[in-house]
Amino acid sequence: MDEERDDIVILVGEDGEEVEFEHIDTIEMNGNEYVVLLPVEDQENEEADEVVILKVDHGDDGEDSFVTVDDEDELNNVFEEFKTRMEEEYDFEE
């Protein structure tokens, strides 16, 4: 049974391949909004060890797009905030 899920985000990679992610959290920080995504296929392997953090770019036309965060410090700050918010639900290995 393939039910429609609201928490699934489909991103198209550079090679044009569609990848499904589960939207785990949205974090607002320093005037920006970030989404934390988990690749769906990783979950099937029971080994979800990599989340993807993307910045939400609110376009002038009302369309939101996700952009890669190139700044390592910015990424780490968002990830630390995510870990703080999610420590009840996830077991983070240091």
Side-chain angles (χ1 to χ4, degrees):
M1 186 167 145
D2 196 16
E3 57 194 65
E4 191 68 32
R5 290 176 49 183
D6 293 339
D7 59 349
I8 294 296
V9 176
I10 297 176
L11 299 180
V12 180
E14 293 171 4
D15 54 4
E17 186 180 339
E18 290 188 353
V19 183
E20 288 190 344
F21 292 89
E22 179 183 356
H23 175 259
I24 301 176
D25 201 4
T26 300
I27 295 174
E28 289 187 36
M29 184 182 280
N30 303 331
N32 292 313
E33 207 175 326
Y34 303 89
V35 290
V36 182
L37 306 174
L38 190 64
V40 170
E41 57 192 45
D42 282 3
Q43 294 174 16
E44 292 164 5
N45 306 338
E46 300 282 325
E47 186 102 358
D49 57 7
E50 192 171 310
V51 295
V52 176
I53 297 174
L54 297 170
K55 187 190 287 190
V56 181
D57 182 23
H58 300 289
D60 297 335
D61 56 1
E63 286 289 312
D64 290 350
S65 58
F66 299 131
V67 292
T68 310
V69 180
D70 294 325
D71 185 332
E72 191 90 10
D73 291 335
E74 187 179 354
L75 263 182
N76 287 336
N77 289 339
V78 175
F79 187 61
E80 288 304 317
E81 173 67 19
F82 169 68
K83 287 202 309 195
T84 303
R85 290 164 61 146
M86 291 294 177
E87 60 191 352
E88 304 289 310
E89 292 182 46
Y90 294 99
D91 183 21
F92 291 103
E93 292 176 13
E94 292 304 322

